[in-house]
Amino acid sequence: MKSMFILLVTLMIWDQQLALDNITKAISTGNVTALEPYLDKSVEIAILEQENVYGKTEAIQILKNFFGKNKPQTFSQMHTGQSKGKEAQYSIGNLTTTAGTFRVYIYARVEADKYYVQELRFDKE
């Protein structure tokens, strides 16, 4: 019984890390199609000094436009964490693009083991 519990906890942690890895991989390649399933119904997007909350469809267009102008080359994850109640995860990393390096902040809520990105920030380094 104890080993079954440990296995379940390990699988849950692995699934959560896999989802976060999929999100950062999509950002590192500029693949908005791969990022789309993780976007919440509304997403706060901040690119440099422009910040707003967008519906999912508009957020997709904003991200496609950003990656069209800033073609990703590499992404290095610097820090990850979760809220005390484990209802949210975040990741901070550096995205190197053809137009320079951006500090990226990703905030996602977790509901029933599914990730919903609620905030993406791209600040120039």
Side-chain angles (χ1 to χ4, degrees), residues 46-114:
I47 299 173
L48 303 174
E49 300 299 318
Q50 293 183 318
E51 182 175 345
N52 206 340
V53 176
Y54 302 97
K56 186 174 184 174
T57 303
E58 193 173 7
I60 291 165
Q61 287 306 120
I62 298 291
L63 292 168
K64 283 182 179 179
N65 187 37
F66 172 77
F67 290 125
K69 293 177 182 175
N70 304 278
K71 302 226 183 294
Q73 295 174 325
T74 61
F75 180 82
S76 57
Q77 192 167 285
M78 308 301 285
H79 185 69
T80 61
Q82 61 187 3
S83 63
K84 284 186 179 183
K86 298 182 180 154
E87 68 277 351
Q89 293 270 90
Y90 66 90
S91 176
I92 300 169
N94 290 326
L95 176 67
T96 303
T97 72
T98 54
T101 301
F102 294 86
R103 175 63 55 112
V104 179
Y105 174 78
I106 305 160
Y107 178 85
R109 71 180 172 91
V110 182
E111 184 178 302
D113 294 330
K114 178 131 173 71

Side-chain angles (χ1 to χ4, degrees), residues 4-16:
M4 180 63 91
F5 176 74
I6 292 171
L7 177 64
L8 288 174
V9 169
T10 302
L11 287 174
M12 284 177 36
I13 292 169
W14 184 75
D15 280 347
Q16 289 180 350

